[in-house]
Amino acid sequence: MGRLTLILLTSTLLSSYFHPGRVVDAQSIFTIREVSLSMEPSNDVPRDTNVTVRCRAVVSSLGQEVLNRQYTILKDRVQVYTKTTTSSEDLLYPLPMARAFNSGKYTCQIAIEDKREVSKYQKLTVTGLSKPELHLNKAVVNEGEEVTVRCTAPGETGSIIFYFYEDSKEIKEEQVSSNYAETKIRFTSTGIHKCHCAYTVVVVPDAFRSEQSNIVTVSVKEIPYTPVLEILPIYKIYEGDTLDISCSLRRPQYNSQSTQLILSQGTQLLSSGTKDKLNHSLVALAKHSGEFECRLEIGNVVKVAKKNVSVTELFSLPTLTMSPVEVFPREPLTLICKSESLASERLHKEELTYTLEPSDAYLIPRGAGVFQGKALNADFNYTCTATAKGIMKQSKILTVRPKLPVSAPKITVLSKVILGRPFEILCNSSTGTLPINYTLLHDYMPMDMITVKQPYEEARFTVTITRTDDISKYICQANNGRKELSRRLDATVIVPLSHPTLTVVPTLGEIYEGDHLYLICGVQGTPPVTFKWYRVGNENPLYSTTSNSNNTDYQVKDLAKHHSGMYFCEAINPANTAVGSNPVTIEVRMALWKKALIGGICLLVLAVLALLFVLYYRSKRGAAPLYDRTEGRVTNGTRDSVASLPADFSNRSSYSIPATV
C-alpha cells in the first residue's frame, strides 16, 4: 500500500512539472579551458602580405552536445569582426594585402551561453607605405593664380594626414579618412616652383610616415603691372617743408584690368583709389620720418613699392622741469620750458617761443621759457608748448605735488620696558609727505636714524636702558624738509627683582610650640610681585599671593613639632624672572609650660623616693637597739669583733652612703 502511494505521488509531480506547453531548458555542462590568438605568417610583415588572424578556443563539454560559439575580434579594443558558429574549428579572420592601417593590438573573445573568455593580445606590425603621387591641374600660371593640387596614397586606408610642400617648405596640411586629399595653392612670386607631398597613416598610438612623392614643377609668370612711388623733395627735408607724394601704376598699353592703389605710412592710410595715380601733400614733421608704401592690388596679386623718408627736426620736443625739485605749499618755485636742440641753419633761437598751460596757473613769465610763482596747496598739472614757423610741440605733463609738512611725531614703546633688556621705540607722524627721516635723540644727542619711504614702513628703534630715569630722555625728530620734535618718551620701566630675603618672626632660637610663625618674603624691584612660599621636599607652594608691595608675609598658626623643617620663598614680577631666597631652617621647640611641668614632676618623684628611703631606713634602726651610731661598736661587745653582729646586718654596710643623702 505504501509503495503504491509513492508511485502515485511521483506521477502527480512529474505530470505537474511537464505541463503541456512548457519547454524544459536544461543548462549545458561545459567549460572554456583556453582561448589563444596568433598571427600568420608572423607578427611583423611587409605591406601587401596576406595576414590571417587565427583564434583558437579549447572547450570541454559533457557528451556530444552542440554549443553555439560567438567569436569577436578586437583591434585596439575596438570590435572589427564577429561570427557565431557551432563548429569547433579555429576562427580565421583574413587581412588580405595588409597595410599600415591594419597594425595594432588584436585580441579574441569567445562567448558560450553566460561564459566568456578573452585571449592575450598579439601585436601586428605592417611595415612600408606606398609612395604618394602628386598631380597639379596647371603647370604654367600667372603670379597670384591658384592651382589645384591632389596627393594620393595608393591602396592605403584609415586616418591619413597629407602634407603639401612648395620649394621644400610645408605650406598646407590636410587630415582625411580617405587615401587622397585636394587643396589649392596660390603662387605669389614669379619663377619656377617645385612641389611635392607626403602623408602619415595614424594608428593610435603610432604613426607611419611615407616617403616623398614625385616632384612637379610650376612656372609662374609675372603680370606686367608695376607700382611707382615718388617723393619730393628728394634731398634733406626739414620740419615745415611740404612733402609731395605720388603713387602710380605702370601697366601695358590697352590693358584695362581692374586695379587698386593704396598709399600709406605705417598703419596710417594716406590715400587710395582705382585710378592709375594717387597724389598726396603734407607738411613734414618729425613723426613723418619712416617708410612710405605704394601698394598695388590686382585681384589676388599684391605688388608693393617702398621708400624711406628722414625729416630733420627744427627743434626738439620741449621738456618742462621744476626748481627746486621739492616744494611745500606757498613756497616759491620756477618752471623751465626748453627745447634742447634746434636746426640752427633753418631756425634762430629767438624765433622759438614758449607758452605755459594752463595760462591761469598763477605763474609769471620771467624770460624765454621761464615761469615763476608760488606752489599751490594741492597737486597741479602743467604743460608747455614750443612754437616756431607754424610748428607747435607740446611737452609731457609735469605734475607739481607740494609736499605736506610732517606733523609732530608720536613716540611710543612697542613692548614692556624692562631695565637692562632691549625694547623697541616707535616714531610715527600721522601726516607728512614721504620720505620722512626719523631720528631718535637721547638728551638731544642723535642715536640712530631711519628713513620711511613707503606707507607700510615703520621707524622702529631698539634700545636698552640701565637706569629708570633714562626713559624720559628719549625724544623723536621727524624731517621731510620740515622738522618736528615729539614729546619725551613716557613709559613704565619694570625693574627686575633682586636681593630676595626670608625673615622669620619670632627669631630662630625662640620658636616654640603653640606660637604663631611669620615668614616675611622681601625683594627689590617693580611691583606687582607674586610671592610663593615653599617647604623643602614639597614641589607645590604652601601659599601664593600677589602684592603691590615689595614684601609680604605668610603666617603659620599654632606651631607644632611637625612644622620643623627648611623653608624658602620665590618672587616674580612682570619682568618674568623669578628669584628665590636662601632656605631657612625652622626648629619648633617644646613649650615652656611643658618643660616646667616635666621639671616639677621629676622633682616630686625624687622627693617621694627620698622620703620612702628615709622611712625605710628608720624602720630598720628600730629593730637593732644595741647599735649606738658608732661604726663597728656594739654594747657589751668588742669593737674589733664582728662575729657578734647579726649576719644580715653586716651584709648591709654597703648602703650606708645613700642612706645619708
Side-chain angles (χ1 to χ4, degrees):
M1 184 65 181
R3 182 176 298 177
L4 179 59
T5 303
L6 181 59
I7 292 172
L8 290 174
L9 180 59
T10 304
S11 176
T12 302
L13 290 174
L14 289 174
S15 63
S16 64
Y17 183 77
F18 295 104
H19 190 274
R22 180 178 295 176
V23 179
V24 178
D25 186 14
Q27 189 173 12
S28 303
I29 300 175
F30 67 92
T31 181
I32 303 173
R33 295 174 57 189
E34 181 185 4
V35 180
S36 61
L37 182 139
S38 60
M39 299 289 177
E40 298 175 358
S42 69
N43 290 63
D44 298 307
V45 297
R47 67 185 178 93
D48 293 332
T49 301
N50 293 324
V51 177
T52 300
V53 180
R54 181 181 293 274
C55 180
R56 174 173 295 172
V58 180
V59 180
S60 298
S61 61
L62 184 63
Q64 301 299 321
E65 188 172 359
V66 177
L67 300 174
N68 283 329
R69 308 179 183 213
Q70 183 180 16
Y71 290 93
T72 303
I73 303 295
L74 298 99
K75 173 179 174 285
D76 298 324
R77 300 183 181 180
V78 178
Q79 179 180 315
V80 294
Y81 180 70
T82 183
K83 182 179 180 180
T84 302
T85 180
T86 58
S87 174
S88 60
E89 297 291 331
D90 295 348
L91 176 73
L92 303 180
Y93 172 52
L95 297 173
M97 300 187 70
R99 298 286 179 168
F101 178 72
N102 299 125
S103 298
K105 295 179 180 179
Y106 288 81
T107 55
C108 175
Q109 175 182 285
I110 183 173
I112 304 175
E113 295 183 4
D114 59 347
K115 295 182 181 179
R116 66 182 64 235
E117 289 290 336
V118 181
S119 70
K120 294 182 179 178
Y121 75 83
Q122 292 289 330
K123 185 174 182 180
L124 174 64
T125 303
V126 181
T127 57
L129 294 172
S130 60
K131 184 175 180 177
E133 298 174 357
L134 181 66
H135 300 278
L136 277 68
N137 67 335
K138 294 180 182 179
V140 180
V141 295
N142 292 323
E143 60 177 328
E145 190 176 349
E146 283 187 338
V147 174
T148 301
V149 183
R150 179 186 179 105
C151 187
T152 305
E156 302 300 337
T157 58
S159 178
I160 304 177
I161 303 174
F162 287 92
Y163 309 94
F164 297 89
Y165 295 83
E166 178 187 347
D167 297 327
S168 299
K169 182 180 180 181
E170 183 181 325
I171 56 174
K172 282 197 175 182
E173 177 184 305
E174 298 285 343
Q175 184 168 2
V176 296
S177 56
S178 62
N179 68 339
Y180 71 92
E182 279 188 356
T183 187
K184 293 184 181 297
I185 299 177
R186 188 186 308 279
F187 295 94
T188 57
S189 59
T190 60
I192 302 299
H193 295 266
K194 295 181 179 180
C195 301
H196 72 273
C197 70
Y199 66 90
T200 295
V201 178
V202 180
V203 184
V204 179
D206 300 318
F208 301 91
R209 181 71 179 240
S210 74
E211 60 181 306
Q212 180 179 308
S213 73
N214 56 305
I215 296 176
V216 178
T217 59
V218 178
S219 177
V220 181
K221 298 186 299 182
E222 183 180 8
I223 59 174
Y225 291 80
T226 305
V228 179
L229 177 62
E230 294 179 338
I231 301 176
L232 295 175
I234 299 174
Y235 301 106
K236 194 164 187 179
I237 304 170
Y238 290 89
E239 286 184 313
D241 292 347
T242 300
L243 282 180
D244 293 318
I245 307 169
S246 70
C247 175
S248 61
L249 166 64
R250 186 180 299 143
R251 71 164 77 211
Q253 195 173 8
Y254 309 117
N255 193 321
S256 59
Q257 188 173 353
S258 176
T259 60
Q260 173 86 9
L261 285 174
I262 301 171
L263 178 63
S264 63
Q265 184 192 25
T267 58
Q268 184 179 7
L269 181 65
L270 301 178
S271 181
S272 66
T274 58
K275 297 181 180 180
D276 286 357
K277 189 172 183 178
L278 299 175
N279 292 314
H280 185 75
S281 296
L282 54 84
V283 176
L285 298 174
K287 67 178 182 178
H288 292 135
S289 293
E291 189 176 71
F292 286 81
E293 179 183 280
C294 177
R295 182 183 179 93
L296 169 63
E297 296 181 356
I298 310 169
N300 294 318
V301 179
V302 175
K303 292 192 173 187
V304 175
K306 297 180 180 179
K307 278 191 177 181
N308 279 313
V309 171
S310 177
V311 179
T312 303
E313 281 188 323
L314 272 180
F315 54 91
S316 61
L317 197 72
T319 57
L320 185 60
T321 58
M322 181 179 74
S323 178
V325 177
E326 294 180 343
V327 292
F328 288 93
R330 313 311 302 167
E331 282 189 344
L333 68 86
T334 300
L335 298 184
I336 301 172
C337 182
K338 184 179 181 182
S339 291
E340 296 295 334
S341 62
L342 57 86
S344 58
E345 66 273 20
R346 286 288 190 96
L347 182 68
H348 295 293
K349 186 177 180 180
E350 294 75 14
E351 296 180 83
L352 192 61
T353 60
Y354 299 96
T355 56
L356 187 69
E357 289 84 26
S359 56
D360 57 348
Y362 308 104
L363 297 178
I364 302 172
R366 296 296 185 185
V370 178
F371 306 88
Q372 292 182 338
K374 290 187 177 181
L376 303 179
N377 291 323
D379 294 358
F380 203 81
N381 293 330
Y382 297 90
T383 60
C384 74
T385 302
T387 306
K389 293 188 176 182
I391 297 174
M392 302 175 64
K393 295 185 181 182
Q394 193 174 55
S395 71
K396 293 182 179 179
I397 295 175
L398 172 66
T399 302
V400 177
R401 292 187 172 89
K403 294 183 66 174
L404 182 64
V406 70
S407 61
K410 183 179 180 181
I411 184 169
T412 56
V413 294
L414 296 176
S415 58
K416 292 188 293 187
V417 181
I418 300 174
L419 198 68
R421 298 183 192 175
F423 64 94
E424 284 189 318
I425 295 176
L426 174 66
C427 291
N428 180 56
S429 293
S430 58
T431 58
T433 302
L434 299 176
I436 300 174
N437 294 326
Y438 291 96
T439 304
L440 183 66
L441 307 174
H442 183 263
D443 266 350
Y444 293 96
M445 294 295 294
M447 302 295 293
D448 195 6
M449 187 189 78
I450 295 176
T451 300
V452 173
K453 300 178 180 179
Q454 301 294 334
Y456 57 82
E457 295 177 345
E458 292 182 329
R460 295 181 175 214
F461 302 90
T462 302
V463 299
T464 303
I465 59 174
T466 56
R467 297 189 308 174
T468 56
D469 58 351
D470 279 349
I471 195 72
S472 62
K473 295 180 181 180
Y474 285 100
I475 56 176
C476 186
Q477 176 186 275
N479 181 9
N480 70 341
R482 298 281 180 89
K483 295 181 180 180
E484 291 288 345
L485 287 175
S486 70
R487 295 182 179 181
R488 291 182 177 274
L489 180 59
D490 183 15
T492 301
V493 180
I494 300 171
V495 180
L497 298 181
S498 62
H499 302 89
T501 59
L502 182 61
T503 304
V504 181
V505 176
T507 57
L508 290 177
E510 301 176 359
I511 301 173
Y512 295 97
E513 290 178 322
D515 288 351
H516 293 344
L517 177 67
Y518 294 89
L519 300 177
I520 304 170
C521 191
V523 290
Q524 294 180 7
T526 302
V529 183
T530 298
F531 295 94
K532 295 180 181 180
W533 286 263
Y534 292 86
R535 183 174 181 175
V536 174
N538 293 337
E539 294 183 0
N540 297 324
L542 300 172
Y543 181 64
S544 176
T545 186
T546 300
S547 173
N548 287 320
S549 173
N550 285 74
N551 58 76
T552 189
D553 64 85
Y554 165 54
Q555 182 181 6
V556 182
K557 297 181 179 180
D558 299 326
L559 285 173
K561 204 66 174 169
H562 67 270
H563 288 122
S564 297
M566 297 179 68
Y567 293 81
F568 68 95
C569 69
E570 283 187 355
I572 190 171
N573 73 343
N576 291 326
T577 300
V579 295
S581 70
N582 292 325
V584 174
T585 302
I586 304 296
E587 183 181 357
V588 180
R589 300 174 180 272
M590 185 181 296
L592 293 177
W593 66 269
K594 286 186 179 181
K595 288 185 177 182
L597 179 61
I598 292 171
I601 292 173
C602 290
L603 291 175
L604 180 60
V605 170
L606 290 175
V608 171
L609 290 175
L611 179 61
L612 291 175
F613 184 80
V614 171
L615 293 175
Y616 176 76
Y617 179 74
R618 287 179 178 178
S619 66
K620 289 296 183 178
R621 287 187 63 185
L626 296 177
Y627 184 66
D628 60 0
R629 296 185 181 180
T630 303
E631 184 179 352
R633 191 176 296 273
V634 180
T635 305
N636 298 327
T638 305
R639 177 184 174 98
D640 297 327
S641 176
V642 297
S644 60
L645 291 174
D648 58 344
F649 188 81
S650 63
N651 292 334
R652 298 175 184 173
S653 62
S654 60
Y655 294 96
S656 60
I657 295 175
T660 60
V661 176

